[in-house]
Amino acid sequence: MTSRFVPYATTPARLLRQLTSDIVVAIWVVIWVLVGMAVHAAVSTIADVGRQVQTGANGVAENLDSAGNSTDDVPLFGDALATPLRAASEAALDIAGAGQSLDNTASWLAWVLAIAVAAPPILFVAMPWLFLRLRFFRRKWTAISLAATPAGEQLLALRALANRPLAKLAAVSDDPVGAWRRQDAAAIHGLAALELRAAGVQRLRR
């Protein structure tokens, strides 16, 4: 994982923290996706009721309309019988329309509520995680790119002089600043290695 394209550190402690954070974030996302799915399923039951009402009312309307058409042939009382049957058929169609409206509204509301419940906690955790991972990836990319050239390695060594703890600098050289000024290759390499480790890279590739 020393490649600049791999968004993971090569230092063991940092790599462990990254893998742990990835697992925690993944579990968090899965949990809230399941919660969102549960909310969607719960609200969708209302849509199922609407579909059932629509189907049943349409069936009743068809039967009443068919009965009204049949009574037209009854002598004397045909029209009197057909009129209320057709009126009842139209009322059943209105109920079917209400059922369809309930189905459409509940189906739309199920998605809205599922997203409203799941998205905020997912984004609350995922956005900072993504920001930190992108920042790390950019830093690792830059550090490895600089380490590939002598001038870049000197720049990394200079950053180490400015940013790394004194004890670590002293472990590289008794006079790290003087060694950097003299362009001591071993000292510069050691100082650059400090900065690379801070960026999550275990060692320089020579």
Side-chain angles (χ1 to χ4, degrees):
M1 289 193 289
T2 55
S3 170
R4 72 187 68 180
F5 298 102
V6 179
Y8 286 97
T10 57
T11 52
R14 193 164 190 173
L15 175 60
L16 180 60
R17 289 197 300 270
Q18 288 178 338
L19 292 175
T20 301
S21 68
D22 288 356
I23 293 172
V24 170
V25 170
I27 292 174
W28 180 263
V29 170
V30 169
I31 288 173
W32 282 103
V33 167
L34 292 176
V35 171
M37 292 172 62
V39 171
H40 180 273
V43 179
S44 292
T45 57
I46 301 175
D48 292 337
V49 172
R51 282 191 289 272
Q52 292 172 4
V53 170
Q54 179 187 5
T55 302
N58 280 330
V60 171
E62 291 177 2
N63 291 334
L64 289 173
D65 188 62
S66 177
N69 292 333
S70 299
T71 57
D72 280 337
D73 298 331
V74 176
L76 300 177
F77 302 105
D79 290 340
L81 294 173
T83 299
L85 289 174
R86 290 196 177 100
S89 174
E90 292 176 359
L93 289 175
D94 291 338
I95 295 174
Q100 182 180 9
S101 178
L102 177 62
D103 178 16
N104 295 336
T105 302
S107 297
W108 171 80
L109 187 61
W111 284 108
V112 171
L113 291 178
I115 294 172
V117 168
I122 289 175
L123 293 177
F124 179 77
V125 171
M127 292 304 293
W129 169 82
L130 182 60
F131 171 77
L132 292 174
R133 294 306 302 274
L134 289 176
R135 187 175 69 174
F136 166 80
F137 177 74
R138 181 180 178 183
R139 185 180 181 188
K140 179 185 176 184
W141 175 285
T142 303
I144 293 179
S145 298
L146 288 173
T149 64
E153 192 175 44
Q154 288 184 11
L155 180 59
L156 287 174
L158 181 59
R159 281 186 56 85
L161 290 173
N163 299 323
R164 297 307 114 213
L166 294 177
K168 291 186 177 181
L169 296 178
V172 174
S173 172
D174 293 336
D175 182 16
V177 176
W180 182 83
R181 287 176 176 173
R182 293 190 303 271
Q183 297 188 6
D184 184 322
I188 288 175
H189 180 69
L191 292 170
L194 289 179
E195 194 63 22
L196 278 172
R197 279 196 292 272
V201 181
Q202 179 69 22
R203 60 177 62 87
L204 285 168
R205 300 180 67 178
R206 307 294 283 179

